[in-house]
């Protein structure tokens, strides 16, 4: 299974492996990006692979090969492969949830990772409440799609908006995001 942005791959093993054998160098993608991280929970049957910075799995089908994985009784696999498919991402991001955290703070969650440049920009957001508007003075990134050990610019999954005035009590407030961009370059607009 490949993430929409091609930066992560979820590989399912046919049995649990010895954690010491589940390392990035045990995995390769035929003609594709280098594997930089391998996150494995002992006893599990899945490995989350992260590709090297600035790289992504190509759209279409790629072959992931694992070599030297050792099972829990000491058997080592010389080599095994699986095909993974990455679909093109043509869907712009959206806001899936917005909830007050305090009188002047709203937490916003996105449908998919967005760029830090657009997700963390106060100018991306507008709030309106019964004919008046609230300004966003600051944006703090709360959560990203960063793969453990991977550097670079991870996508933003949620942010906290700091408002210039308290949210009005018992008044419907509308949040709009303009220019929000996902990691594939799709832009949300009104």
């Amino acid at each position: 299974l490949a993430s929409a942005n091609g930066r992560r791959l979820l590989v399912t093993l046919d049995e649990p492996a010895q954690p010491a054998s589940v390392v990035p160098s045990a995995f390769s993608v035929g003609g594709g990006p280098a594997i930089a991280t391998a996150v494995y929970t002992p006893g599990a049957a899945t490995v989350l692979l992260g590709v090297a910075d600035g790289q992504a799995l190509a759209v279409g089908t790629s072959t992931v090969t694992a070599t030297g994985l050792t099972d829990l009784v000491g058997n080592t696999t010389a080599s095994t492969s699986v095909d993974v498919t990455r679909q093109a991402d043509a869907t712009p991001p959206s806001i899936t949830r917005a909830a007050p955290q305090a009188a002047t703070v709203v937490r916003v969650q996105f449908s998919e990772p967005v760029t830090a440049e657009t997700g963390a920009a106060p100018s991306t957001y507008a709030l309106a409440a019964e004919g008046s508007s609230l300004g966003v003075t600051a944006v703090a990134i709360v959560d990203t799609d960063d793969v453990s050990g991977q550097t670079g610019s991870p996508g933003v999954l949620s942010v906290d908006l700091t408002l210039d005035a308290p949210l009005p009590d018992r008044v419907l407030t509308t949040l709009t995001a303009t220019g929000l961009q996902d990691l594939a370059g799709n832009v949300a607009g009104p």
Side-chain angles (χ1 to χ4, degrees):
L1 180 64
S3 65
N5 65 16
R7 293 178 54 204
R8 295 179 293 175
L9 305 165
L10 185 64
V11 177
T12 301
L13 307 175
D14 62 358
E15 63 181 312
Q18 289 186 10
S21 71
V22 184
V23 294
S25 60
F27 299 90
S28 63
V29 179
I35 300 299
T37 61
V39 179
Y40 177 69
T41 301
T46 58
V47 181
L48 180 61
L49 303 175
V51 302
D53 287 343
Q55 298 182 24
L57 189 68
V59 172
T61 301
S62 300
T63 301
V64 176
T65 302
T67 55
L69 294 180
T70 304
D71 68 16
L72 298 179
V73 294
N75 301 311
T76 301
T77 301
S79 178
T80 186
S81 298
V82 64
D83 287 340
V84 295
T85 301
R86 175 182 172 209
Q87 302 294 327
D89 178 4
T91 305
S94 62
I95 293 172
T96 58
R97 186 167 193 264
Q101 302 299 298
T104 59
V105 177
V106 175
R107 176 148 307 154
V108 179
Q109 295 174 336
F110 307 112
S111 59
E112 62 179 309
V114 299
T115 64
E117 295 78 17
T118 61
S123 60
T124 298
Y125 306 97
L127 285 94
E130 289 191 356
S132 65
S133 63
L134 297 167
V136 176
T137 60
V139 179
I141 296 173
V142 175
D143 191 21
T144 68
D145 74 338
D146 189 22
V147 175
S148 178
Q150 188 174 11
T151 59
S153 297
V156 176
L157 295 171
S158 61
V159 295
D160 278 348
L161 308 179
T162 301
L163 309 178
D164 63 0
L167 287 164
D169 194 27
R170 300 175 208 262
V171 173
L172 177 65
T173 303
T174 303
L175 171 64
T176 305
T178 304
L180 197 61
Q181 183 176 4
D182 69 15
L183 301 180
N186 301 306
V187 179

